[in-house]
């Protein structure tokens, strides 16, 4: 049976067997009913997670609710995953006995590679405030959840039902979204409901992690469906009352039902009964729900107030709540180890119950609950805060301690909220300001600029303390670094840098803001204050004293002492200095340590992603882009950076339509003149998409935009790598003279200490622009010892050289160059360049048929990465943990890849990889 007026929506939720679907709509639209319908009809296992306003600030409360029925199943997880998952829920490793988690049931099955990445962050390697053993590794937790759900789906279809996303704690929401984004083709589905559209929740973007998933919006019922729904009620309204209800309900199903119930309760169809003059829907519904309470016994109303204040306050009140359950106001669920919970029919019912009680009664309820929660300091602190009648330092201190615990578990939203409430309860102005500044610091990690700004502004209004004012400026500047407000970020960060204690971290953050903006004035301002800090100097000008900066990296890595956050910064530094292989090694080490140690580096994504792209690890680059997206947190610059990286990876792998969509989206999110780093990278990606399609005019137009009309770089670091592509497009479009001027201007600018990469690219550009004098340039480019760091660029030079050789009838030499280039392009999975190379081989008299080992090129880059790891002997679980996939997903990808490769066993993969030249 489907819902009235929701036939298509019912079909959608009932037809969901794999993947994700988010239901959105106003309160009372029918989201919870549809979720219940899907749960009731689901043929397999159903796991539920329902948001609770009382637990919205308790980190991983939703995760505990979701996994409580299957905690015993965690015994099959790898030890580290199981420990992380149980630890996040506050359970010991000895919970439920457990096992070693060493079995590999998925290895008998034959995943896309999804490692993470890192981009420039706001703290310098020596200036970061790092802590050992910080919050749990979110990606490790995400993998653990994904693995657990995937294992359950192996035995029976699994449906995860998440209701009221807007009230689920941020940590649980992020983990569920992480797992949801990685659902393959297994029988695993996530069906969720939210009052609002994803990313616009009442907690300032609380549901943002679910941004981008398929949405099904429940619109108001039309007049026909609304009338039919009224007719199906026990006491269908008639006459003028029916018209009023239809008018005031405005198609809201819950309003229609509840107003019809109120109409039936009054027993008459007169204008004078049951509030004949209906109020606007929200107020009217609140009054209806509150009126329902009058018929309940006093003990039930008292119990309802307690569970409205805390839906876990059911124990010992089941009997008292029975009349309310019989009336359909709520359901009692749970029991056993974790006690009972109240699930209200709709959040408005809970709100009506709570707000119908006098303020004094509500405060007393919170005091009573706090008395019972001596063993749960976090919940107790929140109830004490709700009961407070005025400032109270003891309660404020308890909330501050709760915030510290939340931060240790990675609950930055909960920590910020607790500190903000602690500030409200602080008797002293300085303590209030101090806690607001601390809240702003925690809020930086939530990626919510408006929240950080509001907290900092409130602190500034309370105190003239220069240290607090400087830190407030720092926090706002840091979060704005990833926004498009680079002017404001720079101003605030330079102001914060005047405080000696904050100088280094503020300048390093300002350097990042200057890098993103690409503004020469910003760059000069930061460099003038940087003194001898190698990291800040490298970020603000990676071409000056490059060799000196490179030589400093090993010592800086040693001084980082394995701290992943500082190592990620050093990886970014190596990337900017064109030490790509070193950057990749540092990033790999940092990310591995991060997974093991649990500390959370700030701002993962783009610098690692571009390093991976330059180094030929394109699947990892695209994954870094996906993991960098701010998911609707109000950071368009960060989203644009992710889109530009994704566009580049898509262009190189031949998915040019998608690349153009992503690149254009990146440019639409920012002002190209004020976010030059993103704009230049996006245009490079669009240019490569044009090259892949053979559109040389379009390619030249994009690469020309990397440089000003005078031939200067639009961005001091990001423009230069496009110089060779500019030359290649110029010779095919008649713009050789213009490109040559830019190339020579670039060579002159970098003459003092060019990186090996730039030496190679300039040689390539000169060879293409001056065919009569090309050979020395080709020879020099190919002789560069460090050239292997950039396999795609090296293969391009081989192809260009071979074309030059063939045109001079040096066919034998050309064939060798072409075969070498073809091997690289096949290994990388660059179809457009494979086609071009094969065409050159045919022109050289060689028919190029794909060899057996090159069947790898038929796989996606993600699948190629999984094949490489499997060839090294890693199990499905080990591959999944490294690439943040479930073992089942890894097995599925291997199963689909084996027939394409012509192998039947994992033991054959090593020979296949060696034969293809891959490692």
């Amino acid at each position: 049976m489907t819902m009235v007026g929701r036939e298509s929506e019912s079909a959608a939720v009932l037809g969901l067997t794999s993947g994700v679907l988010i239901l959105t709509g106003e309160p009372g639209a029918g989201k919870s009913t549809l979720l219940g319908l899907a749960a009731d009809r689901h043929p397999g296992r159903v796991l539920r997670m329902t948001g609770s306003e009382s637990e919205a600030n308790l980190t991983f409360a939703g995760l505990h609710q979701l996994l409580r029925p299957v905690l015993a199943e965690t015994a099959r997880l790898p030890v580290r995953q199981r420990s992380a998952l149980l630890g996040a829920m506050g359970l010991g490793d000895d919970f439920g006995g457990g096992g070693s988690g060493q079995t590999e049931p998925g290895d008998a099955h034959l995943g896309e590679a999804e490692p993470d990445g890192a981009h420039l962050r706001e703290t310098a390697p020596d200036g970061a405030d790092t802590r050992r053993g910080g919050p749990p590794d979110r990606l490790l937790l995400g993998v653990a959840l994904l693995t657990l759900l995937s294992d359950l789906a192996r035995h029976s279809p699994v449906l995860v039902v998440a209701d009221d996303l807007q009230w689920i704690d941020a940590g649980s929401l992020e983990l569920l979204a992480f797992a949801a984004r990685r659902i393959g083709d297994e029988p695993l589905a996530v069906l969720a409901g939210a009052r609002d559209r994803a990313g616009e929740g009442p907690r300032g973007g609380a549901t943002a992690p679910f941004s981008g998933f398929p949405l099904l919006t429940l619109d108001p019922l039309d007049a026909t469906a609304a009338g039919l729904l009224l007719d199906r009620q026990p006491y269908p309204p008639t006459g003028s009352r029916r018209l009023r209800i239809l008018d005031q309900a405005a198609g809201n199903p819950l309003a229609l039902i509840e107003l019809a119930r109120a109409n039936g309760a009054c027993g008459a169809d007169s204008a004078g009964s049951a509030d004949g003059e209906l109020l606007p829907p929200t107020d009217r519904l609140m009054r209806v729900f509150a009126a329902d309470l009058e018929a309940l016994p006093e003990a039930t109303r008292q119990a309802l107030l307690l569970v409205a204040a805390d839906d876990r306050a059911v124990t010992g009140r089941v009997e008292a709540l029975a009349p309310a359950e019989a009336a359909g106001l709520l359901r009692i669920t749970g029991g056993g180890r974790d006690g009972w919970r109240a699930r209200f029919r709709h959040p408005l019912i809970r709100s009506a119950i709570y707000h119908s009680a006098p303020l004094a009664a509500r405060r007393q309820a919170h005091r009573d609950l706090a008395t019972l929660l001596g063993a749960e300091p976090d919940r107790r602190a929140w109830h004490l805060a709700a009961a407070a009648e005025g400032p109270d330092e003891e309660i404020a201190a308890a909330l501050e301690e709760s915030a510290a615990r939340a931060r240790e578990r990675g609950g930055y939203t909960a920590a910020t909220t607790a500190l903000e409430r602690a500030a409200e309860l602080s008797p002293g102005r300085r303590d209030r300001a101090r806690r607001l500044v601390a809240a702003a610091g925690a809020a930086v990690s939530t990626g919510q600029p408006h929240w950080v700004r509001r907290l900092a502004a409130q602190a500034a209004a309370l105190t003239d303390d220069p240290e607090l004012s400087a830190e407030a400026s720092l926090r706002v500047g840091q979060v704005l670094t990833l926004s498009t407000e680079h002017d404001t970020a720079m101003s605030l960060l330079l102001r914060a840098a005047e405080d000696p204690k904050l100088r280094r971290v503020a300048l390093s953050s300002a350097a990042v803001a200057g890098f993103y903006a690409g503004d020469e004035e910003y760059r000069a301002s930061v460099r003038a204050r940087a003194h001898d800090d190698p990291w800040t100097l490298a970020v603000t000008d990676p071409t000056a004293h490059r060799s000196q900066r490179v030589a400093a990296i090993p010592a800086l890595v040693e001084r980082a002492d394995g701290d992943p956050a500082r190592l990620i910064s050093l990886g970014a530094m190596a990337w900017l200095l064109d030490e790509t292989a070193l950057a990749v090694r540092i990033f790999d080490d940092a990310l591995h340590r991060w997974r093991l140690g649990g500390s959370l580096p700030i701002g993962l994504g783009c610098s690692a992603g571009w390093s991976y792209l330059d180094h030929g690890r394109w699947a990892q680059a695209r994954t870094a882009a996906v993991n960098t997206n701010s998911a609707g947190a109000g950071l368009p610059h960060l989203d644009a950076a992710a889109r530009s990286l994704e566009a580049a990876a898509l262009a190189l792998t031949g998915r040019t339509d998608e690349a153009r969509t992503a690149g254009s989206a990146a440019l639409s999110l920012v002002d190209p003149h004020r976010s030059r780093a993103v704009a230049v990278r996006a245009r490079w990606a669009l240019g490569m998409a044009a090259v892949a399609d053979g559109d040389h005019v379009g390619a030249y137009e994009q690469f020309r935009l990397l440089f000003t009309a005078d031939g200067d770089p639009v961005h001091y670091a990001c423009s230069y790598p496009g110089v060779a592509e500019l030359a290649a497009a110029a010779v095919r479009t008649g713009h050789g003279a213009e490109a040559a001027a830019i190339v020579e201007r670039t060579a002159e600018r970098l003459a003092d200490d060019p990186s090996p990469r730039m030496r190679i690219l300039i040689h390539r550009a000169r060879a293409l622009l001056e065919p009569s004098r090309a050979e020395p340039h080709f020879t020099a480019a190919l002789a560069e010892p460090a050239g292997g760091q950039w396999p795609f660029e090296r293969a391009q030079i081989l192809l260009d050289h071979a074309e030059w050789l063939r045109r001079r009838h040096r066919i034998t030499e050309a064939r060798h160059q072409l075969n070498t280039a073809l091997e690289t392009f096949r290994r990388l999975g660059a179809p457009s360049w494979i086609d071009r190379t094969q065409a050159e081989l045919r022109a050289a008299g060689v028919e190029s048929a794909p060899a057996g080992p090159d069947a790898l090129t038929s796989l996606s880059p993600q699948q190629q990465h999984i094949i490489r790891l499997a060839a090294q002997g890693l199990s499905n679980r080990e591959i999944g943990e490294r690439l943040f996939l479930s073992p089942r997903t890894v097995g599925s990808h291997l199963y689909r890849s084996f027939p394409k490769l012509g192998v039947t066993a994992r033991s054959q993969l090593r020979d296949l990889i060696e034969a293809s030249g891959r490692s």
Side-chain angles (χ1 to χ4, degrees):
M1 178 179 179
T2 57
M3 298 166 57
V4 175
R6 299 289 189 220
E7 290 77 12
S8 62
E9 293 88 343
S10 297
V13 300
L14 292 174
L16 184 68
T17 58
S18 182
V20 184
L21 181 63
I22 312 297
L23 305 182
T24 66
E26 65 179 356
K31 302 179 295 295
S32 297
T33 304
L34 281 170
L35 296 180
L37 175 67
D40 292 340
R41 299 280 189 87
H42 188 70
R45 173 171 256 162
V46 178
L47 299 177
R48 291 179 178 270
M49 181 196 299
T50 301
S52 166
E53 188 170 358
S54 69
E55 295 188 358
N57 298 311
L58 296 180
T59 305
F60 298 130
L63 181 70
H64 185 274
Q65 184 186 159
L66 179 73
L67 299 185
R68 185 185 59 79
V70 293
L71 285 175
E73 305 291 336
T74 61
R76 294 204 298 267
L77 292 175
V79 172
R80 197 155 56 86
Q81 292 183 18
R82 180 174 185 269
S83 296
L85 203 58
L86 294 179
M89 294 184 289
L91 302 173
D93 285 345
D94 59 347
F95 176 85
S100 66
Q102 301 300 314
T103 59
E104 288 288 344
D107 284 356
H109 295 271
L110 291 181
E112 61 201 9
E114 291 199 6
D116 52 2
H119 73 169
L120 288 170
R121 50 188 294 277
E122 65 268 35
T123 50
D126 293 330
D129 180 15
T130 57
R131 293 172 290 118
R132 296 298 183 193
D137 181 346
R138 288 301 177 91
L139 290 184
L140 178 61
L141 288 173
V143 170
L145 177 60
L146 178 63
T147 302
L148 177 60
L149 294 176
S150 184
D151 283 349
L152 293 172
R154 184 191 306 278
H155 305 291
S156 173
V158 173
L159 175 66
V160 174
V161 176
D163 202 1
D164 285 334
L165 290 184
Q166 72 276 0
W167 294 126
I168 293 175
D169 66 278
S172 299
L173 203 63
E174 290 167 5
L175 293 187
L176 183 59
F178 179 97
R181 292 185 190 279
R182 289 155 177 80
I183 293 175
D185 56 0
E186 58 251 83
L188 170 60
V190 175
L191 181 62
R195 291 189 192 180
D196 57 335
R197 295 183 182 277
E200 300 173 1
R203 286 188 291 148
T207 58
F210 273 80
S211 175
F213 285 114
L215 289 179
L216 179 59
T217 301
L218 304 187
D219 295 319
L221 301 180
D222 60 30
T224 301
L228 180 58
L229 182 58
L230 283 181
D231 290 339
R232 291 192 176 183
Q233 301 312 303
Y235 302 99
T238 59
S240 61
R241 177 60 59 84
R242 180 184 182 93
L243 294 177
R244 288 195 200 95
I245 291 175
L246 286 171
D247 180 55
Q248 297 298 321
N252 183 291
L254 184 61
L256 288 163
I257 293 170
E258 295 301 337
L259 292 172
R261 176 180 298 176
N263 175 71
C266 77
D269 186 21
S270 66
S273 62
D275 292 317
E277 293 298 323
L278 301 180
L279 300 173
T282 300
D283 293 340
R284 182 66 185 98
L285 287 170
M286 292 289 287
R287 292 191 62 183
V288 168
F289 295 143
D292 289 342
L293 301 178
E294 296 302 322
L296 297 174
E298 176 62 23
T300 300
R301 294 200 298 271
Q302 291 179 357
L304 278 172
L305 176 57
L306 288 171
V307 296
D310 189 332
D311 61 11
R312 293 171 61 184
V314 176
T315 302
R317 301 177 180 86
V318 174
E319 290 74 16
L321 290 168
E325 188 169 23
L329 294 178
L330 50 71
R331 282 198 301 158
I332 306 300
T333 63
R337 179 188 181 103
D338 296 295
W340 304 95
R341 296 183 74 102
R343 296 187 60 200
F344 289 88
R345 188 173 77 244
H346 190 278
L348 287 178
I349 297 174
R350 178 177 186 170
S351 181
I353 292 168
Y354 183 79
H355 290 289
S356 66
L359 177 60
R362 297 200 300 269
R363 285 176 172 163
Q364 185 60 50
H366 287 294
R367 281 192 289 270
D368 292 343
L369 290 167
T371 301
L372 299 173
L373 293 171
E376 298 186 55
D378 293 334
R379 290 174 66 198
R380 180 176 182 273
W382 277 107
H383 284 298
L384 288 173
E389 299 182 15
D392 188 311
E393 176 58 29
E394 184 178 350
I395 298 175
L399 281 174
E400 190 169 13
E401 292 173 1
S402 177
R405 287 188 290 270
R407 291 194 69 161
E408 289 173 0
R409 299 173 63 190
Y412 293 107
T413 299
T416 306
T417 306
L419 285 166
E420 185 174 14
R421 179 59 176 149
E424 294 173 357
L425 293 173
S426 300
R429 289 173 63 89
R430 193 183 191 289
D431 280 336
R432 196 178 313 158
R434 175 182 61 79
R435 284 164 176 153
L436 284 169
V437 171
V444 168
S445 297
T446 72
Q448 300 289 337
H450 298 301
W451 200 2
V452 178
R453 272 179 153 158
R454 177 170 59 79
L455 292 166
Q458 290 174 349
L462 288 169
T463 180
D464 295 327
D465 186 311
E467 291 185 5
L468 288 177
S469 297
E471 187 176 352
S473 295
L474 171 68
R475 299 313 180 190
V476 177
Q478 284 178 323
V479 77
L480 293 183
T481 294
L482 299 179
S483 76
T484 56
E485 298 183 57
H486 302 304
D487 291 345
T488 306
M490 185 64 67
S491 175
L492 290 169
L493 291 168
L494 292 181
R495 185 190 309 166
E498 295 174 5
D499 185 323
K501 295 179 181 177
L502 301 176
R503 179 177 167 277
R504 178 167 293 206
V505 64
L507 285 178
S508 64
S509 297
V512 176
F515 174 86
Y516 287 143
D519 185 275
E520 288 301 312
E521 183 178 346
Y522 290 168
R523 196 155 64 109
S525 296
V526 177
R527 284 186 64 81
R529 296 168 171 82
H531 300 308
D532 59 349
D533 179 56
W535 190 87
T536 302
L537 291 171
V539 172
T540 52
D541 191 352
T543 63
H545 307 290
R546 196 198 73 88
S547 298
Q548 179 182 341
R549 308 281 179 247
V550 171
I553 292 178
L556 292 173
V557 169
E558 185 174 353
R559 285 167 59 187
D561 194 26
D563 174 39
R566 294 168 68 182
L567 288 174
I568 283 175
S569 290
L570 293 172
M573 178 179 174
W575 165 63
L576 284 171
L577 295 171
D578 270 340
E579 292 295 315
T580 304
L582 175 60
V584 167
R585 289 196 300 272
I586 293 174
F587 280 131
D588 283 346
D589 182 36
L591 296 171
H592 177 66
R593 290 176 182 273
W594 172 38
R595 298 179 193 119
L596 291 176
S599 59
L600 182 63
I602 297 172
L604 291 176
C606 285
S607 62
W610 283 107
S611 297
Y612 290 137
L613 189 91
D614 293 342
H615 206 48
R617 290 161 63 168
W618 295 348
Q620 288 177 265
R622 190 173 177 210
T623 298
V626 172
N627 287 342
T628 298
N629 191 291
S630 72
L635 297 172
H637 176 89
L638 184 57
D639 288 342
R643 296 285 186 92
S644 65
L645 174 57
E646 183 179 20
L650 289 167
L652 294 174
T653 53
R655 299 166 65 173
T656 53
D657 288 341
E658 295 174 72
R660 277 187 287 274
T661 298
S664 298
L667 290 172
S668 71
L669 289 168
V670 298
D671 179 347
H673 302 292
R674 302 178 71 82
S675 295
R676 293 178 179 87
V678 168
V680 165
R681 288 298 190 176
R683 295 198 188 284
W684 186 91
L686 291 170
M688 293 309 295
V691 172
D693 285 342
D695 177 10
H696 302 301
V697 173
Y700 183 77
E701 290 174 351
Q702 294 296 337
F703 292 125
R704 183 63 184 84
L705 290 172
L706 305 189
F707 298 88
T708 67
D710 296 332
D712 293 329
V714 169
H715 187 276
Y716 66 87
C718 297
S719 290
Y720 290 134
V723 69
E725 294 298 342
L726 172 67
V731 298
R732 291 173 169 84
T733 57
H735 294 90
E738 185 177 28
I742 293 175
V743 170
E744 295 311 312
R745 195 176 184 91
T746 298
E748 182 180 350
R749 280 176 168 269
L750 302 179
D752 290 342
D753 192 6
S755 70
R757 184 187 190 189
M758 288 312 304
R759 287 198 298 268
I760 291 170
L761 293 179
I762 290 172
H763 278 306
R764 181 192 175 206
R766 286 170 167 167
L768 293 171
L769 291 166
E770 302 179 85
S772 62
R773 295 190 291 178
E775 188 148 31
H777 292 300
F778 280 130
T779 301
L782 293 171
E784 177 62 55
Q789 295 182 69
W790 307 282
F792 177 71
E793 292 173 358
R794 182 176 178 82
Q796 284 181 297
I797 297 171
L798 288 167
L799 176 56
D800 291 336
H801 190 199
E803 289 176 338
W804 184 89
L805 290 169
R806 183 182 63 78
R807 290 184 176 89
R808 282 150 185 77
H809 308 292
R810 295 162 62 176
I811 304 299
T812 301
E813 296 172 78
R815 288 173 179 170
H816 174 73
Q817 304 279 53
L818 289 169
N819 283 323
T820 304
L822 183 60
E823 289 177 4
T824 300
F825 289 138
R826 282 176 168 167
R827 173 168 58 85
L828 295 173
S832 298
W833 288 267
I834 291 171
D835 292 344
R836 181 178 157 194
T837 308
Q838 288 177 327
E840 278 295 316
L841 278 168
R842 287 192 294 271
V846 178
E847 284 298 325
S848 175
D854 290 316
L856 275 165
T857 59
S858 66
L859 306 181
S860 69
Q862 293 90 342
Q863 290 170 330
Q864 292 181 41
H865 196 178
I866 288 175
I867 290 296
R868 289 201 300 271
L869 293 176
Q872 295 172 19
L874 273 67
S875 68
N876 287 8
R877 284 192 183 277
E878 291 168 333
I879 295 172
E881 186 166 331
R882 182 172 295 190
L883 304 183
F884 305 111
L885 299 169
S886 73
R888 182 183 178 88
T889 299
V890 173
S892 177
H893 281 290
L894 289 171
Y895 181 82
R896 290 196 297 268
S897 300
F898 273 32
K900 297 178 183 179
L901 299 175
V903 300
T904 57
R906 297 169 82 102
S907 58
Q908 298 173 273
L909 294 178
R910 184 181 297 276
D911 292 340
L912 180 78
I913 296 297
E914 291 176 353
S916 68
R918 291 166 170 76
S919 59

